[in-house]
Every structure is written in structure tokens, then in C-alpha cells.
């Protein structure tokens, strides 16, 4: 799949994009058309989910081979396979990602961005060209196939346990010092509210300051165009993954944490307000 750089209007299917909008008052003929479009949207969403599941199964079959390697080549191989598989999935589903900007991978950064919906996994896999250490919820470990995959490359934590989160951040801090980029969604969970962002937790920023590592922010745009908000309905389209300029933490201390957190929050929120129609003022 070719990933282009630059901005432009998303390309999606007008038929499926309009399928979820029920007319308030329409003649019976138009209601029948709406029903057929809605049914088409459901079939398409099932197709997207089944194809994603098939991709996971096929990808997981390669993991045992990767696990014979040392840590860095193992994760390099795993991330390359994930990226290729998700790009093929994107072509077959019509969910075509556009990546804008470039990440600063050296020195190893703390990567943070907005947590949108169920498509985050596929979108971030396409966008990250380097292996990272990922903080993820422990619930993934209990899922078939996906649990096996996440246990090979992610640090899993119980979201409701402050002790588990601290332990996870400690593991990631050690990885950061060893030269691994680390990836954290500072919102902690997918955004199910109408605002562009939920409140950011401190862990990612505390980790960056302690290691004097840069923050590498990103923003995912137009994600609610390809998955309807708080629904399991998907639509073809062109979401955007945009790398933003890195932010140095050199010289910062714990006292600077709130200002750093709020600065990154404001930066990502501004991008969403400006370039994502779902949050335009």
C-alpha cells in the first residue's frame, strides 16, 4: 500500500458514509433505500472485522519464528510483519491511511497521541516504521490470538490498578534507557466522549522527564469517519496519522510535568479542532 504525504480531503465511499444517517421524515421509498444502505454498512463492517481477524491469525503464525531471535531483531521482524499485514488489510477494506510528517527516532522518544477507537491498532501499526515498546491493557492477554501477540511485544497493565500502572511504567522506563522508543496513549483508554480528547495521565510525561527523553507527539485525524463514534460500524475512508514536532525535556524536572502535559494536550487538541471535521469549532 502506498502511503502519501501531504494534506487533502479524505477519499471514502459516499454510499457507506451516508448509510448510518437515518432520515427523520421520508417517503417509504426513501426509507427503503436508507434500510438497504444501512444493511450494506453492516455487511461491510462484518467484512472489515473478519478480514482483520484473518490477518491476525496469519500474522501470529510467523511469531514463533521471530521469537527464536534476540530481542531487537525479534521486535523488528514482528513490527515489519504487522505493518505489512495491516497495509494489505487497508487496501482490501478501503481504509487507506495517509501518514504526514516524520518521527524523530533518535534519541529514543516517548511517543504519545490520541486514543480514538478500535482502529487505533491497525493505524498505528501502519504508521510506526520502527519497533517500539508498547503499554497496553492486560485485558488483551485474555483474548485468543491477540493475547498471544500482545504478550510478545507489549507491557500489559491492569488499568484500574495504580500499582500495576506504576510497575508497567517502570518497565518502560528501563526500556527507554536501553534505547527503545516507548509508546503510550496518555488518555489511558479509547475516547468515548464527544470532546476531542480525554484528560491526560502523567505517566508518559513523568517517564520522559526522568530519562530526559524527548516527547514525540502524534495525532490521528478523521478516525470517526471510518468508525462511527461508539458503534461497531465501519466505513471506507482515508484517516490521517500526523507526526508532530518532538518536544525536548532536557533540563526539565518533576515540577515541569504539568506544563509539559498541558502543552502536549493543547498541541494535539489544536490539530483535531483545525483538521478533523468531527471536532471542528
Amino acid at each position: 500500500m502506498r502511503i502519501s504525504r501531504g494534506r487533502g480531503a479524505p477519499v471514502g465511499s459516499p454510499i457507506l458514509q451516508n448509510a448510518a444517517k437515518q432520515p427523520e421524515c421520508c417517503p417509504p421509498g426513501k426509507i427503503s433505500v436508507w434500510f438497504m444502505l444501512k444493511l450494506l454498512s453492516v455487511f461491510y463492517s462484518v467484512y472489515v472485522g473478519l478480514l482483520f481477524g484473518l490477518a491476525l491469525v496469519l500474522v501470529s503464525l510467523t511469531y514463533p519464528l521471530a521469537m527464536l531471535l534476540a530481542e531487537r531483531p525479534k521486535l523488528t521482524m514482528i513490527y515489519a510483519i504487522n505493518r505489512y499485514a495491516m497495509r494489505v488489510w487497508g487496501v482490501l477494506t478501503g481504509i487507506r491511511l495517509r501518514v504526514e510528517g516524520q518521527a524523530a527516532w533518535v534519541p529514543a522518544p516517548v511517543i504519545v497521541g490520541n486514543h480514538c477507537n478500535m482502529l487505533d491498532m491497525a493505524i498505528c501499526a501502519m504508521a510506526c516504521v520502527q519497533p517500539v515498546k508498547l503499554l497496553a491493557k492486560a485485558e488483551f492477554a485474555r483474548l485468543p490470538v491477540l493475547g498471544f501477540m500482545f504478550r510478545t511485544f507489549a507491557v500489559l497493565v491492569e488499568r484500574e490498578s495504580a500499582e500495576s500502572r506504576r510497575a508497567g511504567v517502570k518497565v518502560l522506563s528501563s526500556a527507554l534507557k536501553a534505547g527503545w522508543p516507548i509508546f503510550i496513549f496518555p488518555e489511558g483508554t479509547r475516547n468515548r466522549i464527544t470532546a476531542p480528547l480525554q484528560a491526560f495521565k502523567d505517566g508518559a510525561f513523568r517517564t520522559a522527564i526522568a530519562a530526559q527523553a524527548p516527547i514525540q507527539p502524534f495525532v490521528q485525524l478523521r478516525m470517526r469517519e471510518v468508525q462511527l463514534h461508539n458503534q461497531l460500524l465501519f466505513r471506507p475512508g482515508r484517516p490521517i496519522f500526523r507526526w508532530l514536532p518532538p518536544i525536548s525535556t532536557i533540563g526539565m524536572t518533576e515540577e515541569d510535568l504539568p506544563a509539559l502535559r498541558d502543552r502536549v494536550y493543547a498541541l494535539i487538541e489544536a490539530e483535531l479542532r483545525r483538521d478533523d471535521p468531527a471536532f471542528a469549532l
Side-chain angles (χ1 to χ4, degrees), residues 129-202:
V129 298
Q130 298 283 344
V132 301
K133 294 283 188 173
L134 172 70
L135 188 68
K137 58 185 181 181
E139 293 94 312
F140 281 133
R142 295 188 281 272
L143 298 175
V145 183
L146 198 59
F148 165 70
M149 296 173 67
F150 266 80
R151 284 193 295 269
T152 64
F153 61 78
V155 177
L156 301 173
V157 299
E158 297 286 349
R159 288 185 300 178
E160 305 304 322
S161 169
E163 182 178 352
S164 177
R165 293 198 303 270
R166 284 194 295 268
V169 169
K170 186 176 181 180
V171 172
L172 290 182
S173 296
S174 298
L176 186 62
K177 292 175 182 176
W180 285 99
I182 66 174
F183 190 111
I184 301 176
F185 286 113
E187 292 171 278
T189 186
R190 293 195 300 266
N191 184 2
R192 293 180 173 86
I193 62 176
T194 56
L197 292 171
Q198 302 172 104
F200 280 3
K201 301 182 186 302
D202 292 343

Side-chain angles (χ1 to χ4, degrees), residues 200 202 205 256-268:
F200 280 3
D202 292 343
F205 308 100
D256 298 303
L257 190 156
L260 175 63
R261 179 197 61 217
D262 294 347
R263 176 183 175 186
V264 175
Y265 185 100
L267 179 65
I268 295 174

Side-chain angles (χ1 to χ4, degrees), residues 100-114 128 181-184 186 204-205 208 213-219 241-249 260 264 267-268:
E100 298 179 354
Q102 293 183 346
W105 295 100
V106 180
V110 176
I111 302 170
V112 299
N114 55 322
C128 286
I182 66 174
F183 190 111
I184 301 176
F205 308 100
I215 293 285
Q216 174 58 71
F218 69 86
V219 60
F241 186 105
R242 180 179 298 161
W243 293 109
L244 303 176
I247 299 173
S248 174
T249 63
L260 175 63
V264 175
L267 179 65
I268 295 174

Side-chain angles (χ1 to χ4, degrees), residues 52-74:
F52 183 75
L54 177 61
L56 292 183
V57 171
L58 294 177
V59 164
S60 69
L61 296 177
T62 68
Y63 277 32
L65 177 61
M67 293 173 70
L68 298 175
L69 305 174
E71 182 76 356
R72 193 167 291 275
K74 177 187 77 173

